[in-house]
Amino acid sequence: MNTDSELALAVLQHRPTPAAAEESLARMEEAAASASADGAQLLVCPEASLTGYNIPLSSARSVAVEREGHTTDRIRKLCLRHGLSLAYGYIERDADQLFNAVNVINPAGELISHYRKTHLWGDLDRSLFSAGDGYAPVFELNGWKIGVLICYDIEFPESSRHLALHGADLILAPTALMSPWTFVADVITRARAAENQVYFAYANYCGPEGDLNYVGRSCIIGPDGEELARASDEPQLLSATLNKQAISDIRQSLPYHMDRRPELYQPLS
């Protein structure tokens, strides 16, 4: 049985189902059932997992959903049925704007976190989305403090550092990482975990979507930068049990947080 010092985490890697919300919801249901049966308390799905990511603007407008609405209510019920929390990406509609967003819903069916991608990647993101105007607050789940980023956000060290300085024990990163940028999944995820001494959960697609080919390589990384679980380039449900003691141990042996000198960093902003 998990205590507040532990968190059973699952990360879903799957092939895209662009503009096919019903298929996406069915997959989410299946993954939640499997993760819950294995004892997971939190399941993380990829970027825009619900709606698809690399789709034309007309399709994005037709499949986009509001932060709160009928689709969210269906996912609330899914979390209630399976007794776990779920972090999932989707295209969010807000008036006439679209955002690349993530919701986190807890086992009671409550929406406990909402984040809009702040760093837009290339013409693809900019042709579809408005940028979020700030990081979401770190939230608490099962005694753990958790932050959320989306894909390209993690390639800016300031993003993960911001969440770590606001107390995050774990950073969730739903993503849609395509070829040839495999080094982001293999190297940057480990660097962000190690330099901030937090757990890191990276949920990617695998296979093609339009003209993109996703590399997979989803992972769960420990606060020392070591891999706890790593996917290949095929669909997979990863799992790991996180323990806060590992965070305390690494911060005692390598006191990065204590040894920071913020007065030197002011010119960075």
Side-chain angles (χ1 to χ4, degrees):
M1 183 163 181
N2 295 100
T3 66
D4 284 354
S5 66
E6 292 186 340
L7 182 70
L9 176 68
V11 168
L12 177 63
Q13 177 171 293
H14 66 78
R15 294 190 175 93
T17 47
E22 290 302 318
E23 186 176 350
S24 299
L25 283 164
R27 180 187 54 243
M28 198 177 288
E29 179 88 46
E30 182 181 1
S34 180
S36 179
D38 287 341
Q41 296 164 287
L42 171 62
L43 170 64
V44 187
C45 298
E47 178 179 9
S49 176
L50 177 66
T51 54
Y53 169 63
N54 182 32
I55 58 179
L57 179 58
S58 58
S59 298
R61 291 194 183 281
S62 68
V63 299
V65 297
E66 297 174 347
R67 180 192 326 192
E68 301 263 16
H70 174 67
T71 300
T72 308
D73 287 343
R74 292 177 66 180
I75 297 172
R76 291 178 192 274
K77 292 174 183 176
L78 182 158
C79 292
L80 282 164
R81 272 195 302 278
H82 298 292
L84 87 171
S85 299
L86 176 63
Y88 65 95
Y90 65 105
I91 297 175
E92 178 193 354
R93 179 192 301 111
D94 186 355
D96 60 349
Q97 290 182 290
L98 299 180
F99 295 91
N100 187 329
V102 168
N103 280 351
V104 183
I105 297 176
N106 71 12
E110 299 165 332
L111 179 57
I112 57 173
S113 183
H114 168 262
Y115 172 64
R116 292 168 169 172
K117 189 175 186 180
T118 50
H119 297 79
L120 299 183
W121 181 80
D123 292 340
L124 196 164
D125 271 8
R126 291 183 177 88
S127 69
L128 296 173
F129 309 121
S130 298
D133 60 6
Y135 298 112
V138 169
F139 65 95
E140 190 163 322
L141 178 69
N142 296 78
W144 284 68
K145 293 183 178 179
I146 301 175
V148 180
L149 299 173
I150 299 174
C151 198
Y152 194 43
D153 289 331
I154 79 161
E155 297 177 51
F156 299 84
E158 300 88 348
S159 299
S160 298
R161 180 53 53 91
H162 171 88
L163 296 177
L165 292 178
H166 283 78
D169 304 308
L170 164 66
I171 295 174
L172 312 180
T175 196
L177 180 72
M178 70 289 291
S179 177
W181 314 113
T182 309
F183 77 92
V184 177
D186 289 351
V187 178
I188 290 183
T189 54
R190 296 183 65 187
R192 295 294 171 265
E195 68 197 5
N196 292 293
Q197 299 172 320
V198 298
Y199 284 97
F200 207 90
Y202 190 76
N204 194 23
Y205 291 124
C206 56
E209 186 184 39
D211 60 351
L212 301 181
N213 188 57
Y214 298 112
V215 301
R217 307 292 296 159
S218 298
C219 57
I220 302 171
I221 308 295
D224 56 359
E226 293 302 309
E227 295 180 1
L228 303 181
R230 171 72 72 177
S232 65
D233 60 357
E234 294 293 325
Q236 193 169 347
L237 184 64
L238 302 178
S239 64
T241 298
L242 318 186
N243 194 305
K244 285 185 184 176
Q245 189 60 48
I247 298 174
S248 298
D249 289 347
I250 193 63
R251 290 184 180 182
Q252 286 181 12
S253 62
L254 286 171
Y256 290 156
H257 288 246
M258 291 178 58
D259 290 345
R260 292 177 66 252
R261 294 189 58 195
E263 72 276 9
L264 301 180
Y265 314 146
Q266 297 304 314
L268 293 177
S269 60

